[in-house]
Amino acid sequence: MSHIVRSTLWLGFFGAILASWWVMYSMSMNMDLDLIGRPGEMGAHMAAMDPRMPMYMPMANFGPLFAMWAIMMAAMMLPTLVPTLRSYEDLMVSANGTRAGWLGVLLGYFVVWVAFAALISAVQLVLLYGGIIDMLGISKTTTFAGLLLLAVGLFQFTRAKEICHGVCHSPMTYFLGHWRTGFAGGLRMGLGLGAFCVGCCWGFMALGFVGGVMSLLWMGLATLFMVIEKLPQIGHVVTKPMGVLLVLGGIGVLAYPVVSGG
């Protein structure tokens, strides 16, 4: 029976990931974007719209934006939770972990990322009404895009990144140091792990304002890198090289108007 429960939960978990990506794909198509995030005629018209127009525009209102980001959090961050849930399952064998605790970890992690979805939705509205990004959530200027790339790239070298990544990279160590039993204990640990994960990965979410928050390619690459960052064998190796690439990208974006004469 326990094997059936385990298989059912994991199938549901991966089903939720697939469903989230399908919803993201549907939203992107409905906004007339291709897989790279390039707008068609209708999408380009939407991007150029003034958010202060009297007509109701979902992308200029908190509710629809929050729903969009919450779905994106599920699509992008649940895959990164796989090593953590597998680590907890190991403790169900060697310690007194329970299936209820496993569910608590999952719920706590998701709650933190949904809270972050609310925060970044508010940030997007501030940037939108400030004229910094367009209706599709893409930077209007190379200056903002370049500075954001630089900021996220430099963050890869900070002590905060090192601490947060250390927890995400080795969830077993976190469990051993903060072990709590039962559903409530799992929930508490999930909240803690989620907080460290936000601290580790917030920058890759924010980079959606450079490549497009609805670009399946851009956000897919961000998801892939966050998964790689958490792999036990190579996760600690890729953090700083990615920082270098992002810094170089930021410098390139900032220098492009000067070099091109634009």
Side-chain angles (χ1 to χ4, degrees), residues 170-193:
S170 182
M172 181 64 79
T173 302
Y174 180 87
F175 283 137
L176 294 177
H178 301 80
W179 184 247
R180 300 289 188 277
T181 58
F183 177 80
L187 178 64
R188 181 173 176 178
M189 291 187 293
L191 291 170
L193 284 165

Side-chain angles (χ1 to χ4, degrees), residues 46-113:
M46 184 187 305
M49 294 176 72
D50 185 343
R52 296 174 179 81
M53 293 175 63
M55 63 183 294
Y56 179 81
M57 291 176 286
M59 296 299 286
N61 289 270
F62 179 81
L65 268 183
F66 171 64
M68 179 196 77
W69 275 105
I71 292 169
M72 287 174 59
M73 294 302 104
M76 299 178 68
M77 298 315 302
L78 286 180
T80 73
L81 187 56
V82 172
T84 300
L85 294 177
R86 290 181 63 87
S87 294
Y88 187 91
E89 284 203 335
D90 290 340
L91 293 171
M92 290 173 62
V93 176
S94 60
N96 56 347
T98 62
R99 186 57 63 186
W102 187 92
L103 290 170
V105 171
L106 175 60
L107 178 61
Y109 186 91
F110 189 66
V111 165
V112 172
W113 275 103

Side-chain angles (χ1 to χ4, degrees), residues 123-229:
V123 170
Q124 182 167 340
L125 287 177
V126 170
L127 295 174
L128 175 63
Y129 282 93
I132 298 173
I133 63 175
D134 63 25
M135 195 71 74
L136 297 178
I138 304 174
S139 174
K140 289 183 175 181
T141 68
T142 55
T143 300
F144 177 72
L147 289 176
L148 186 55
L149 284 165
L150 277 176
V152 176
L154 291 173
F155 179 73
Q156 296 289 100
F157 298 92
T158 64
R159 177 62 177 163
K161 172 70 179 189
E162 182 180 350
I163 293 173
C164 292
H165 180 252
V167 173
C168 293
H169 184 245
S170 182
M172 181 64 79
T173 302
Y174 180 87
F175 283 137
L176 294 177
H178 301 80
W179 184 247
R180 300 289 188 277
T181 58
F183 177 80
L187 178 64
R188 181 173 176 178
M189 291 187 293
L191 291 170
L193 284 165
F196 279 108
C197 189
V198 167
C200 179
C201 301
W202 67 269
F204 296 104
M205 298 296 178
L207 287 179
F209 297 129
V210 176
V213 297
M214 293 304 298
S215 168
L216 296 179
L217 175 63
W218 184 268
M219 302 311 266
L221 288 174
T223 303
L224 177 62
F225 179 75
M226 288 186 288
V227 170
I228 292 174
E229 246 195 351

